[in-house]
Amino acid sequence: MSIFDGFKFRSESSPIHEMDPRAKFIYVCILFSSAIIFNNIIPLLILFLIQMPLVFLAKVQREWLRSMRASALFAALIFAMNFISLYFYAGHETLCSITERSAAMTIRFLVLIQTFSIFFLTTSPDMLGLALEQSGIPYEICFAFTTAVRFVPVLAEEAQTIIDAQRARGLELESGNIIRRIRNYIPILIPLIVNAIRRSMELAETMESRAWGAVKNRTNLYTLRIKGRDILLIVSSFVILALSVYTSIYIQIPSITQMILS
């Protein structure tokens, strides 16, 4: 479950943590769009590397590295699936070209993981819900979203605890064929679902005891305001998007194979 550690908020004193969640969300959307635009390995590597200063400024290198390690299996799977599909359905391409295109798709996946990891590691669920509420989204939707964000890492840790407990009792999750392995996970899923239902009932009772929804016009302790560093991040994000669109339309980016052969 270490992949979820890269998406769990870490409270640190850093310039990235202090930024407005709306500015960081715009940054995430723009980096996501820029990564989708390119199919070439070079600009995708650039998008990956330009985010590294944010990781160090936010002081979340360890959690970020953990999320990258946990994503390695999925990245390898993406590379293998792209390589196999291109090998059989793109017969006119060379093996080097197929490998490079598969690597580009893998790096795109890592860029997306990196972008969302930075966002969730540095954005408190409370501030994220407040940002959504101040953006005009109904509070019920904001509350449901922030609750889901909070409970995903909690359920992941709980699942890991159940797995460790069942393994201590002699449960072997990796033995047998695929059907046997699926059945081995039943002792994991049943207590996890029961605990999730119990947790939801406790949350509902807590909300009812605090008269949740009784007042339509809610007030908040904090008010988010766009500051200079937030404007700088938004402007930088749009500059990246403009450069990405311009590069994809007007600039012919050479492939790694072409650069080596030339």
Side-chain angles (χ1 to χ4, degrees), residues 22-252:
R22 294 168 290 186
K24 288 187 281 188
F25 184 73
I26 293 173
Y27 162 80
V28 168
C29 293
I30 289 178
L31 263 292
F32 181 90
S33 303
S34 300
I36 295 298
I37 289 174
F38 294 109
N39 292 320
N40 193 294
I41 193 171
I42 296 177
L44 290 171
L45 275 174
I46 294 174
L47 289 176
F48 184 85
L49 293 175
I50 62 174
Q51 297 187 81
M52 292 303 300
L54 297 180
V55 175
F56 289 99
L57 282 175
K59 304 176 184 178
V60 291
Q61 304 95 309
R62 184 178 300 176
E63 291 78 12
W64 172 83
L65 185 59
R66 194 175 301 167
S67 67
M68 290 293 104
R69 288 177 180 174
S71 304
L73 177 62
F74 296 98
L77 181 63
I78 290 173
F79 178 85
M81 296 300 294
N82 279 276
F83 185 88
I84 293 172
S85 60
L86 290 173
Y87 182 80
F88 286 103
Y89 295 102
H92 63 282
E93 296 189 20
T94 63
L95 189 62
C96 292
S97 177
I98 292 174
T99 303
E100 185 171 345
R101 288 183 60 184
S102 303
M105 297 301 103
T106 306
I107 296 174
R108 175 190 287 173
F109 168 75
L110 294 177
V111 169
L112 299 181
I113 291 293
Q114 181 188 41
T115 305
F116 284 102
S117 178
I118 293 173
F119 177 77
F120 285 108
L121 282 171
T122 62
T123 307
S124 168
D126 294 331
M127 295 296 103
L128 180 58
L130 181 58
L132 293 174
E133 188 176 354
Q134 290 187 191
S135 300
I137 299 176
Y139 178 74
E140 291 79 6
I141 299 177
C142 300
F143 180 81
F145 178 76
T146 53
T147 302
V149 171
R150 282 179 178 277
F151 275 95
V152 167
V154 173
L155 291 177
E157 292 179 1
E158 200 167 79
Q160 187 61 54
T161 302
I162 295 172
I163 289 174
D164 294 339
Q166 297 290 27
R167 280 178 173 170
R169 292 179 172 88
L171 178 65
E172 296 182 2
L173 298 176
E174 305 300 331
S175 63
N177 54 28
I178 185 65
I179 303 299
R180 179 65 178 174
R181 291 183 182 183
I182 293 175
R183 290 180 178 176
N184 289 343
Y185 275 92
I186 294 178
I188 307 296
L189 294 176
I190 291 178
L192 183 63
I193 293 173
V194 171
N195 288 342
I197 294 174
R198 183 182 302 165
R199 194 182 298 274
S200 64
M201 293 178 64
E202 292 175 354
L203 178 61
E205 292 175 356
T206 303
M207 293 167 59
E208 186 177 356
S209 65
R210 297 183 179 182
W212 190 88
V215 179
K216 293 184 178 180
N217 298 324
R218 295 178 52 86
T219 58
N220 294 290
L221 179 61
Y222 303 102
T223 301
L224 297 176
R225 292 182 177 86
I226 299 292
K227 300 179 181 178
R229 66 182 66 179
D230 303 318
I231 296 175
L232 179 61
L233 179 63
I234 294 173
V235 172
S236 302
S237 302
F238 278 104
V239 169
I240 292 174
L241 180 61
L243 290 175
S244 300
V245 174
Y246 179 84
T247 302
S248 63
I249 295 175
Y250 297 105
I251 299 178
Q252 185 67 31

